[in-house]
């Protein structure tokens, strides 16, 4: 039987400054990022129209992950949730490893978004070096995150509003081109473009499956809703609503938008490094349309980088509270933001500026593969924690959540198998395999750090079990 209310979470000192509309738009913004706007171009070139199916398949798995997270969040809503649940259900080391790995994911994602933003600005100002643009954006967003969570939430709200409005506009215009045949693309726009050029799987099913790693990168950040739990005004109402609207967001913004674009412009016209949305509007021939879309995808990149700065600071504070990072990171500024954690994270994101200086052509590919590997670890920890939580609920050792995942732990097992399959694809692909080497080095470094901390302070990472009433 589900509990009537959310289990009380400890007071963390944050300002509960994120209202319902902001949490909703953060959730929507998290599902619409640079992985779709920029990364889809390379994936279309690899898989053709079958990429639509890959986004739909991965989207279903993401929903399983988010429902698992939602059940945990309504059992005990805390900021830095994934690390906390890993710590509770798998042990202190897994909480430590997950927290630091999620921090790494957002640091390298921030690098990817800065790189993408610089590429978009290059559309208008080709003479400006990528690294200069990346540095300017890094400094501006850093300032926003230091001021207050309300300003972060408000900026993220409007960033997301721009993305959502533009995507809906693109879909409507694309449907108009298909239905009425207007514009320069009207004569060739047709549903038959989905299969007329070497079929729906033009490069074979194997090639389509190989795009799943890039597709999963596009979905990174949907779990950001979990990080907002400690600063949401009413998590019991806002979090379930944000999670339950995920399927229609994926159906509309990913599957719907790509379907329309690939009907309007044949898949052979797309290439890596060019946003398919910018390309489609250029083909349609709407005056300044490509420039408008370029502005939209720029806001998408800045939105994700903004979210990265927000989440890394919170995760470092969670680690510090558990003795798994320097204690100084647990301090809040006068504005109730983890300013030092944000500052250190931003300094590491600055490595992305250096990459844009050294290897501007390859910077995006390098960091996205590392971010995907770190994201897969985070999702696996959410799912495994959920499976273990369900076992304790069934055994009567923990109270049931007021937002149970459909099918119990079954969907979590399916999602775990899928994520392991994607990891195998990454290992198979020579271009992306390097991220697993990086993650191996990262794991060794974290392992050494753990043993050093345990030798100095044996109580590191130990935390009292949540005081919960036994049910059953």
């Amino acid at each position: 039987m589900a509990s009537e209310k959310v289990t009380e979470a400890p007071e963390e000192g944050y300002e509960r400054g994120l209202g319902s509309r902001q949490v909703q738009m953060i959730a929507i913004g998290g599902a619409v990022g640079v992985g779709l706007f920029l990364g889809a171009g390379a994936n279309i070139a690899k898989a053709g129209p079958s990429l639509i199916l890959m986004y739909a398949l991965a989207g279903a798995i993401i929903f399983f992950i988010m429902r698992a997270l939602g059940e945990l969040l309504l059992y005990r809503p805390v900021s830095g949730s994934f690390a906390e649940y890993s710590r509770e259900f798998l042990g202190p080391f897994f909480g430590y490893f997950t927290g630091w790995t999620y921090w790494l994911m957002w640091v390298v994602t921030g690098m990817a978004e800065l790189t993408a933003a610089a590429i978009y600005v290059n559309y208008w100002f080709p003479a400006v070096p990528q690294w200069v643009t990346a540095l300017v954006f890094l400094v501006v967003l850093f300032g926003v995150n230091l001021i207050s969570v309300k300003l972060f939430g408000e900026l993220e709200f409007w960033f997301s509003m721009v993305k959502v409005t533009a995507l809906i506009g693109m879909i409507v215009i694309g449907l108009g081109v298909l239905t009425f045949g207007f514009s320069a693309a009207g004569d060739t726009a047709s549903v038959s473009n989905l299969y007329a050029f070497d079929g729906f799987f033009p490069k074979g099913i194997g090639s389509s499956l190989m795009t799943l790693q890039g597709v999963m990168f596009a979905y990174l950040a949907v779990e950001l809703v979990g990080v907002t739990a400690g600063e949401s005004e009413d998590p019991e109402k806002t979090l379930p609503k944000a999670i339950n609207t995920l399927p229609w967001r994926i159906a509309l913004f990913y599957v719907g938008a790509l379907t329309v674009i690939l009907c309007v412009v044949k898949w052979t016209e797309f290439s890596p490094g060019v946003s398919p949305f910018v390309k489609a509007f250029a083909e349609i021939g709407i005056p300044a349309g490509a420039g408008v879309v370029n502005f939209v995808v720029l806001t998408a990149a800045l939105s994700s980088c903004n979210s990265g700065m927000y989440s890394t600071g919170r995760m470092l504070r969670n680690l510090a509270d558990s003795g798994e990072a320097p204690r100084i990171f647990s301090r809040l500024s006068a504005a109730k933001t983890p300013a030092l954690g944000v500052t250190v994270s931003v300094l590491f994101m600055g490595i992305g500026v250096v990459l844009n200086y050294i290897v501007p052509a390859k910077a995006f590919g390098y960091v996205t593969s590392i971010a995907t590997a770190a994201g897969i670890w985070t999702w696996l920890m959410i799912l495994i924690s959920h499976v273990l939580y369900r076992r304790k609920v069934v055994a009567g050792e923990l109270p049931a959540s007021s937002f149970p995942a459909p099918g119990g732990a079954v969907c979590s097992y399916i999602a775990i198998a899928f994520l392991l399959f994607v990891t195998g694809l990454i290992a198979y692909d020579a271009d992306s395999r390097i991220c697993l080497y990086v993650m191996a080095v990262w794991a060794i470094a974290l392992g050494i750090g753990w043993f050093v901390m345990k030798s100095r302070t044996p109580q590191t990472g130990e935390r009292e079990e949540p005081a919960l009433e036994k049910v059953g």
Side-chain angles (χ1 to χ4, degrees):
M1 180 178 173
S3 60
E4 292 298 318
K5 67 174 185 175
V6 180
T7 304
E8 290 297 320
E11 178 57 50
E12 298 176 293
Y14 289 120
E15 176 187 8
R16 288 197 176 270
L18 295 177
S20 176
R21 71 181 176 88
Q22 292 168 326
V23 173
Q24 288 294 316
M25 291 309 286
I26 287 171
I28 292 172
V32 182
V34 72
L36 171 65
F37 284 123
L38 181 62
N43 288 324
I44 290 172
K46 290 179 183 177
S50 65
L51 184 64
I52 298 167
L53 182 60
M54 297 302 106
Y55 271 108
L57 175 61
I61 298 300
I62 291 297
F63 181 61
F64 294 164
I65 294 169
M66 289 304 295
R67 282 306 302 258
L69 177 59
E71 182 165 357
L72 291 169
L73 284 171
L74 271 292
Y75 145 68
R76 193 163 68 93
V78 286
S79 191
S81 56
F82 339 111
E84 271 297 299
Y85 302 134
S86 299
R87 191 174 291 118
E88 179 180 350
F89 296 107
L90 288 153
F93 175 76
F94 286 92
Y96 157 84
F97 196 101
T98 300
W100 277 109
T101 301
Y102 192 66
W103 175 84
L104 173 71
M105 186 200 91
W106 268 115
V107 166
V108 294
T109 298
M111 294 180 195
E113 308 301 354
L114 288 170
T115 301
I119 290 171
Y120 297 143
V121 170
N122 196 54
Y123 176 85
W124 293 301
F125 306 104
V128 178
Q130 274 186 211
W131 72 269
V132 172
T133 310
L135 180 60
V136 170
F137 286 139
L138 184 70
V139 172
V140 171
L141 293 178
F142 173 53
V144 168
N145 271 269
L146 289 187
I147 296 172
S148 75
V149 69
K150 285 186 177 179
L151 181 59
F152 158 78
E154 201 60 31
L155 184 63
E156 198 57 30
F157 174 84
W158 289 108
F159 272 154
S160 296
M161 184 66 78
V162 168
K163 289 188 288 187
V164 169
T165 303
L167 267 177
I168 292 173
M170 291 178 208
I171 292 171
V172 170
I173 291 172
L175 289 174
V177 172
L178 277 171
T179 305
F180 302 108
F182 64 82
S183 88
D187 293 336
T188 56
S190 170
V191 175
S192 65
N193 284 340
L194 295 178
Y195 53 83
F197 301 93
D198 297 322
F200 189 69
F201 293 92
K203 301 287 185 74
I205 294 177
S207 185
S208 299
L209 291 174
M210 290 305 295
T211 65
L212 281 174
Q213 51 188 300
V215 169
M216 296 309 288
F217 173 77
Y219 286 122
L220 290 184
V222 293
E223 75 292 323
L224 184 64
V225 170
V227 183
T228 68
E231 292 166 279
S232 301
E233 290 176 352
D234 189 356
E236 189 167 19
K237 291 182 179 178
T238 57
L239 295 179
K241 188 176 180 181
I243 291 170
N244 278 335
T245 55
L246 185 65
W248 73 258
R249 282 184 265 132
I250 289 172
L252 178 64
F253 299 138
Y254 282 91
V255 179
L258 279 176
T259 300
V260 170
I261 281 179
L262 289 171
C263 286
V264 171
V265 182
K266 58 185 179 180
W267 72 269
T268 53
E269 299 289 325
F270 297 101
S271 60
V274 177
S275 168
F277 295 89
V278 174
K279 174 69 176 176
F281 267 67
E283 289 287 322
I284 291 172
I286 296 176
V292 171
V293 176
N294 199 67
F295 170 74
V296 172
V297 296
L298 173 61
T299 65
L302 296 179
S303 166
S304 188
C305 188
N306 188 39
S307 296
M309 291 182 187
Y310 170 87
S311 58
T312 50
R314 273 72 185 169
M315 194 57 73
L316 281 182
R317 184 174 186 238
N318 177 268
L319 288 162
D321 286 343
S322 303
E324 297 161 0
R327 281 289 177 189
I328 195 170
F329 287 128
S330 65
R331 296 179 185 174
L332 292 177
S333 68
K336 295 187 177 180
T337 64
L340 183 62
V342 173
T343 302
V344 170
S345 301
V346 167
L347 289 175
F348 276 93
M349 286 182 191
I351 296 172
V353 176
V354 177
L355 283 175
N356 275 283
Y357 178 75
I358 299 173
V359 283
K362 297 182 178 180
F364 187 76
Y366 284 156
V367 294
T368 54
S369 63
I370 296 171
T372 303
I376 286 174
W377 172 270
T378 301
W379 291 334
L380 281 171
M381 290 301 100
I382 291 171
L383 293 165
I384 294 171
S385 296
H386 177 249
V387 169
L388 296 176
Y389 165 71
R390 290 293 307 177
R391 287 181 185 174
K392 286 183 176 290
V393 170
V394 172
E397 297 172 13
L398 287 178
S401 171
S402 59
F403 187 48
V410 174
C411 290
S412 288
Y413 281 118
I414 294 171
I416 289 169
F418 180 86
L419 293 178
L420 293 177
F421 173 69
V422 173
T423 303
L425 292 178
I426 292 173
Y428 180 77
D429 183 20
D431 290 335
S432 60
R433 192 182 304 146
I434 188 173
C435 75
L436 297 183
Y437 300 142
V438 172
M439 288 303 295
V441 173
W442 175 252
I444 292 169
L446 285 183
I448 292 171
W450 176 258
F451 285 113
V452 169
M453 285 193 304
K454 290 292 282 184
S455 64
R456 291 181 177 177
T457 52
Q459 72 275 19
T460 293
E462 292 179 5
R463 175 170 289 194
E464 292 182 7
E465 289 292 318
L468 303 171
E469 179 185 353
K470 186 174 180 178
V471 294

